[in-house]
Amino acid sequence: MMLSSPHLREANSVPRIMRLVCVALLPGIAVYTALIGPAVLTQIFLASVAALFFEAAMLKMRALPVRRFLGDHSALVTAWLIALTFPPLSPWWLTVTGVFFAIVVAKHLYGGLGQNPFNPAMVAFAVCIIAFPALMSQWPAQGLTLPFEQQLEIVFGFSPRIDALTAATPLDAIKTALKTNALRVDNIQELLRSQNLYGTFAGRGWEWVTMTYLCGGAFLLLMGVITWHAPFAFVTSMAAAAAICWLIDPSRFSDPLFHLFSGGSMLGAFFIATDPVSGCSTPRGRLIFGCGAGLLAYLIRVFGVFPDGIAFAVLIMNICAPLIDHYTQPTVFGLRARESDT
Amino acid sequence: MLRTSFHFPGGVKPDSNKEASARDPIAFAPLPERLALPLKQSAGVAPSPVVRVGERVKKGQVIAAAEQWISASLHAPTSGRIADIGNYPLAHPSGLPAPAIIIETDGLEEWQERPPPDWQRLAPQEVQQYLQQSGVVGLGGAVFPSHVKLDAEARMEELIINGAECEPYVTCDDRLMRERAAEIVSGIALLRDLTGAGQTLIAIENNKPEAIRAMRGAISEHRENFTVVTLPTRYPAGSLRQLIYALTGKRAPFNVLPTAMGVQCFNVATVYSIWRALAHGEPVARRVVTVSGNVRAPRNWDVPLGMSMEALLQLSGPLSDTNGLIVGGPMMGTFLPLTNAPITKGSNCLIARSPRLFPPRPPESPCIRCTACAQACPQGLQPFELYWWSRARDFDKAARYALSECIECGCCAYVCPASIPLVHYFRYAKGELAAAAREQKMADDAKSRFEFRQFRAEREKTEKAEKLAKAAAAQAAKRAAEESAASGEPENMASQEERH
Ligand code: SF4
Ligand code: SF4
């Protein structure tokens, strides 16, 4: 028996990393559920079952050890991210379609874990918002509290999709205001407040969800699962872009804080821009990746046609990632001598 | 004098597991009845046997002499009779046998007369020769002949003494520094004089407080100005390039010798053996070996070279579930079955394996590009890129990601969550690149040989043609001359001249 050194290993594994990511999402999920209702948990359950099913089927088709690879929990992370980025009262088949595109197309048809150039959850979001723009924009109105049975009925299609689902999110409200240009209020904050959408520092209620995502991200940083580069750059560039627009015209653009805690910003910064497989792998590359994603997300959500820009921003940066990596290779330890000596 | 160290990138902190074997003093191993001494115990060329089968040898007698410069002599660790010279198994995973000298010991420990040289009066070249004949090589594991390193004409800026001992389990240098600090310090002073080093730095990881105290004590007793630098415990602090950087801030690429940067580095055990050789005329025929891991009584043993590993392991009482050995440290050492292969100059540590201490590596899963490996690499490499290209058999691409800078320290594979044996891939890729380079060279040589043959054949052909043409011309001239009824002598002379 010949075995190669080293003969020791740190107690770390891919399943452990994926489990930590799930754990980091738990506080966010709890607050989100408190805000919206058990439909959130229903979506997570639905997405998880679908993801495990598709994953197992694809592994079987690719003649890979199903049990071992299913146990790496990577499909679960994708499923949870889909459940958290899709509207919570989406019909069940929308979620399943999203999971299908994520696991079957974006992941396995591109070669499986570790090979996918695009973030599977973001592919799911992008495909669905293009194919079903209306459904993907139906966020429950702020403060809408439906009983669990009714939420279930909506998700599983037994009851008509009610009007309350089509309420504008704060991000939508600003965009409409920007487009119509017919505002007669002093600034956008006033508008949001007047529509009772504004909470302490961002969308009412939602601000606390994004806040807990931020805490989850901090946990991942502490555990060494992610590095600070991409989230830091993401947050900074989005805040900077928002600040510039806001300083130019505060009556039409909302403040940076609002942007950081609205929509998928924190989820994007800490859980999506940090995806190791489809993101950048060098420290400087991750800074560029995060910067680009934050900036694009801001531009798309403010000037584009979609309610939020995270998915497209991340996918665009995914395309650039190999190139960024290529040009940001760190200097090899010994080789720096030649430069510093001259 | 306090001195802070520079922070090299990456590194890992595995459990040190040193306490158990560092507790007790070094013990002398009982003399085995039979010693097997492989000829090749150092980097470079193996020495040639100078004894015959059946001959009686004394302790310290040369049994194989170095004939090339990068080579070191081999000595009888005790008195006895040469039982055989032939191929015997080595402590190598391939299990292939290699030439060795077998000594049947007689238990008399009869020393060969070997007066210590008056080393203070020796010229530097003579000191080098003496060390070569004493078989002094690097005992930290690299086994590079020490006299070669003293070759540099240039004065060194820094002399570094490596007592870092960063590999888990290994404690032989730690014990040596605790117990034989005075001699080590004398040896360092000698090396300082030989290298003319401006500054002498002794590096010890901060998990060896007693060794640090012993060395500091010996230094002040000897009234030397050496500095003991306490390194934070982080593997691979004792690796040559990382150590040099930590102490001096100088970065040495793989193809630049430290001496070119004004730094010379010796391991503490090597310094000790240099001192024993020059001050006591004692050649390198023993070494201190840590025996640890799955044994009842882990400790350090002062062992004659050639003792079987199995016999040495028995001295520390291996537990019943021992299923093999690791020779060297667990990060860079070799995985072997239980073996009676001999201890050589390079064997610093034997670790008894058990499934509990060294659970088998789980099967490799796909790389998720988490970059844990890159963050751990002390050479600042991107191991996952190297892995990707090595696996794709695109070795040139791997070379472009600086594969040659990889020191095979194992930090990357230690942290990899996907359990990929990265170092294994890198060794394989390096082997393939070396083979490709050899083939390229052979092809180039063959091509130039072929081209030269072609050129020669062409030349011979034209020469022949010219000759023929000349001969024909001469014939024609001759015939013409005969026809004109004169003798042919002058023409012959002309063609003779042409040939020169
Ligand atoms: S540590 Fe392993 S899984 Fe992570 S990037 Fe390196 S090789 Fe890939
Ligand atoms: S084995 Fe090579 S690639 Fe891996 S950490 Fe050590 S130097 Fe870096």
Side-chain angles (χ1 to χ4, degrees):
Chain A
M1 174 170 51
M2 190 201 139
L3 282 173
S4 196
S5 64
H7 311 293
L8 291 175
R9 264 192 81 230
E10 208 170 47
N12 195 8
S13 66
V14 175
R16 176 178 167 271
I17 290 177
M18 298 297 170
R19 273 200 301 274
L20 283 174
V21 176
C22 289
V23 168
L25 284 171
L26 285 178
I29 292 171
V31 178
Y32 192 15
T33 310
L35 181 70
I36 302 285
V40 174
L41 298 178
T42 313
Q43 293 288 0
I44 289 178
F45 179 74
L46 195 61
S48 302
V49 171
L52 290 178
F53 171 78
F54 289 131
E55 176 95 346
M58 287 312 286
L59 288 170
K60 189 133 202 144
M61 272 167 64
R62 297 176 61 211
L64 288 168
V66 175
R67 184 175 289 213
R68 206 179 109 213
F69 282 91
L70 210 57
D72 70 20
H73 305 324
S74 61
L76 229 45
V77 171
T78 304
W80 288 26
L81 288 177
I82 290 174
L84 295 177
T85 47
F86 277 39
L89 291 179
S90 307
W92 66 271
W93 55 264
L94 187 65
T95 309
V96 173
T97 309
V99 172
F100 172 84
F101 272 98
I103 301 288
V104 176
V105 182
K107 186 175 179 186
H108 282 285
L109 292 188
Y110 276 102
L113 180 65
Q115 315 259 359
N116 47 297
F118 298 107
N119 184 308
M122 293 302 101
V123 169
F125 189 91
V127 167
C128 288
I129 202 161
I130 291 170
F132 312 102
L135 285 176
M136 287 294 283
S137 310
Q138 288 182 349
W139 289 78
Q142 299 284 328
L144 173 73
T145 41
L146 296 174
F148 185 36
E149 303 86 64
Q150 201 183 345
Q151 293 193 349
L152 273 187
E153 281 171 12
I154 293 171
V155 169
F156 289 100
F158 300 127
S159 96
R161 305 189 65 76
I162 51 174
D163 283 348
L165 288 175
T166 55
T169 65
L171 278 174
D172 278 333
I174 325 173
K175 191 168 343 208
T176 321
L178 187 67
K179 293 250 165 67
T180 54
N181 222 353
L183 293 172
R184 289 287 174 272
V185 280
D186 284 343
N187 64 43
I188 200 83
Q189 272 74 29
E190 286 300 312
L191 168 82
L192 291 174
R193 250 173 228 126
S194 71
Q195 297 192 1
N196 200 17
L197 288 176
Y198 206 76
T200 319
F201 49 89
R204 190 151 57 84
W206 189 251
E207 60 205 341
W208 301 113
V209 180
T210 44
M211 196 58 160
T212 38
Y213 286 148
L214 171 66
C215 296
F219 168 74
L220 288 184
L221 267 175
L222 269 178
M223 298 302 289
V225 173
I226 58 174
T227 64
W228 59 271
H229 306 82
F232 170 79
F234 186 105
V235 167
T236 312
S237 77
M238 179 176 264
I244 291 170
C245 292
W246 179 57
L247 287 176
I248 291 173
D249 188 354
S251 70
R252 295 176 59 208
F253 298 99
S254 60
D255 63 289
L257 204 59
F258 171 83
H259 274 288
L260 290 184
F261 288 95
S262 292
S265 303
M266 285 303 159
L267 203 60
F270 286 94
F271 292 87
I272 294 166
T274 54
D275 173 27
V277 178
S278 59
C280 280
S281 58
T282 66
R284 279 185 299 151
R286 285 177 171 168
L287 285 175
I288 297 174
F289 186 97
C291 235
L295 182 66
L296 285 173
Y298 177 80
L299 294 178
I300 295 172
R301 73 155 56 148
V302 173
F303 301 105
V305 294
F306 299 112
D308 199 351
I310 309 287
F312 290 99
V314 167
L315 291 176
I316 291 170
M317 292 314 287
N318 283 165
I319 299 176
C320 310
L323 201 70
I324 299 174
D325 275 345
H326 182 83
Y327 285 107
T328 56
Q329 282 300 311
T331 343
V332 173
F333 177 63
L335 300 182
R336 229 170 297 174
R338 282 181 208 146
E339 294 158 13
S340 60
D341 277 357
T342 49
Chain B
M1 184 165 49
L2 266 178
R3 208 186 142 98
T4 48
S5 57
F6 294 83
H7 187 94
F8 64 86
V12 294
K13 292 177 181 167
D15 282 344
S16 80
N17 282 307
K18 288 176 186 277
E19 301 73 26
S21 61
R23 213 176 297 127
D24 295 326
I26 301 168
F28 278 80
L31 189 65
E33 285 170 6
R34 186 174 161 283
L35 298 174
L37 295 130
L39 290 179
K40 186 154 167 56
Q41 304 218 3
S42 75
V45 188
S48 312
V50 291
V51 287
R52 276 167 289 106
V53 176
E55 189 176 327
R56 204 187 118 70
V57 289
K58 288 186 181 168
K59 184 173 179 172
Q61 182 181 336
V62 176
I63 53 174
E67 288 170 347
Q68 309 267 334
W69 184 236
I70 303 189
S71 176
S73 297
L74 190 62
H75 304 76
T78 184
S79 56
R81 196 183 64 88
I82 304 292
D84 191 17
I85 300 177
N87 285 330
Y88 284 87
L90 279 185
H92 191 268
S94 72
L96 288 179
I101 299 177
I102 309 296
I103 299 179
E104 263 169 22
T105 62
D106 59 12
L108 300 176
E109 298 272 19
E110 192 184 339
W111 269 98
Q112 143 121 335
E113 275 303 303
R114 214 181 134 91
D118 189 2
W119 59 269
Q120 268 121 332
R121 299 249 166 70
L122 290 184
Q125 286 81 1
E126 290 171 310
V127 172
Q128 281 181 284
Q129 259 164 27
Y130 193 84
L131 291 178
Q132 181 182 30
Q133 286 157 13
S134 300
V136 180
V137 302
L139 298 180
V143 289
F144 193 77
S146 301
H147 65 276
V148 182
K149 288 169 66 173
L150 290 168
D151 210 11
E153 287 285 296
R155 307 273 82 176
M156 291 296 131
E157 288 163 21
E158 288 104 2
L159 171 65
I160 294 179
I161 305 301
N162 187 354
E165 202 165 50
C166 57
E167 273 263 18
Y169 288 94
V170 189
T171 57
C172 51
D173 289 351
D174 181 9
R175 280 309 323 184
L176 202 70
M177 286 188 284
R178 290 197 212 179
E179 297 176 30
R180 306 178 191 175
E183 287 177 287
I184 295 173
V185 169
S186 307
I188 299 172
L190 188 156
L191 283 171
R192 188 256 331 269
D193 295 343
L194 284 174
T195 55
Q199 202 179 22
T200 305
L201 306 166
I202 303 164
I204 308 176
E205 273 192 346
N206 61 9
N207 60 1
K208 293 181 259 299
E210 296 194 33
I212 294 170
R213 215 172 308 132
M215 291 297 286
R216 288 211 168 117
I219 290 167
S220 60
E221 248 167 57
H222 283 70
R223 296 178 200 287
E224 294 289 359
N225 62 348
F226 309 151
T227 312
V228 174
V229 184
T230 312
L231 297 175
T233 299
R234 181 162 52 109
Y235 177 85
S239 167
L240 182 62
R241 283 171 172 78
Q242 278 61 38
L243 187 68
I244 291 175
Y245 179 72
L247 264 50
T248 67
K250 297 177 181 176
R251 299 169 196 260
F254 84 103
N255 54 359
V256 172
L257 283 179
T259 45
M261 315 188 86
V263 186
Q264 190 54 280
C265 187
F266 290 94
N267 163 274
V268 281
T270 315
V271 176
Y272 175 77
S273 63
I274 290 175
W275 176 251
R276 294 302 297 182
L278 289 174
H280 301 275
E282 203 179 284
V284 178
R286 306 182 67 91
R287 71 154 300 147
V288 179
V289 184
T290 305
V291 181
S292 191
N294 198 39
V295 293
R296 248 190 311 280
R299 78 178 306 157
N300 285 283
W301 295 94
D302 193 321
V303 182
L305 298 181
M307 182 171 185
S308 113
M309 290 183 172
E310 172 84 66
L312 178 57
L313 188 66
Q314 288 303 331
L315 293 181
S316 278
L319 302 179
S320 56
D321 58 342
T322 300
N323 60 352
L325 286 176
I326 292 168
V327 179
M331 295 299 286
M332 291 185 77
T334 318
F335 212 69
L336 289 178
L338 286 174
T339 170
N340 56 8
I343 295 289
T344 60
K345 291 179 186 176
S347 340
N348 56 351
C349 181
L350 289 191
I351 302 172
R353 281 196 277 126
S354 74
R356 182 181 56 85
L357 288 180
F358 298 94
R361 188 174 267 275
E364 165 178 353
S365 61
C367 166
I368 55 168
R369 298 173 64 86
C370 67
T371 68
C373 50
Q375 290 165 48
C377 178
Q379 289 286 85
L381 301 172
Q382 301 282 89
F384 57 93
E385 298 279 7
L386 296 175
Y387 159 71
W388 177 264
W389 297 112
S390 303
R391 212 178 122 101
R393 301 186 54 84
D394 191 339
F395 304 118
D396 291 331
K397 236 351 197 303
R400 233 172 297 154
Y401 277 97
L403 176 64
S404 55
E405 290 283 335
C406 168
I407 55 172
E408 299 178 20
C409 64
C411 291
C412 50
Y414 175 78
V415 298
C416 177
S419 182
I420 302 171
L422 293 158
V423 182
H424 186 69
Y425 281 97
F426 303 158
R427 289 206 186 102
Y428 167 72
K430 283 182 184 177
E432 292 290 308
L433 275 172
R438 267 199 308 278
E439 248 164 59
Q440 185 61 46
K441 188 172 177 310
M442 262 157 66
D444 286 349
D445 289 354
K447 194 164 154 230
S448 55
R449 271 199 307 276
F450 175 75
E451 279 169 357
F452 179 67
R453 258 204 313 278
Q454 284 246 305
F455 164 74
R456 206 170 52 193
E458 281 295 319
R459 193 182 59 193
E460 278 165 6
K461 218 156 75 191
T462 45
E463 277 173 2
K464 217 155 147 188
E466 276 170 18
K467 227 153 56 191
L468 280 174
K470 268 177 212 142
Q475 283 287 327
K478 202 166 160 187
R479 228 172 298 134
E482 274 169 2
E483 271 166 24
S484 63
S487 85
E489 261 174 297
E491 282 83 359
N492 262 345
M493 271 175 71
S495 69
Q496 202 91 68
E497 245 169 31
E498 287 281 332
R499 208 174 293 156
H500 288 291

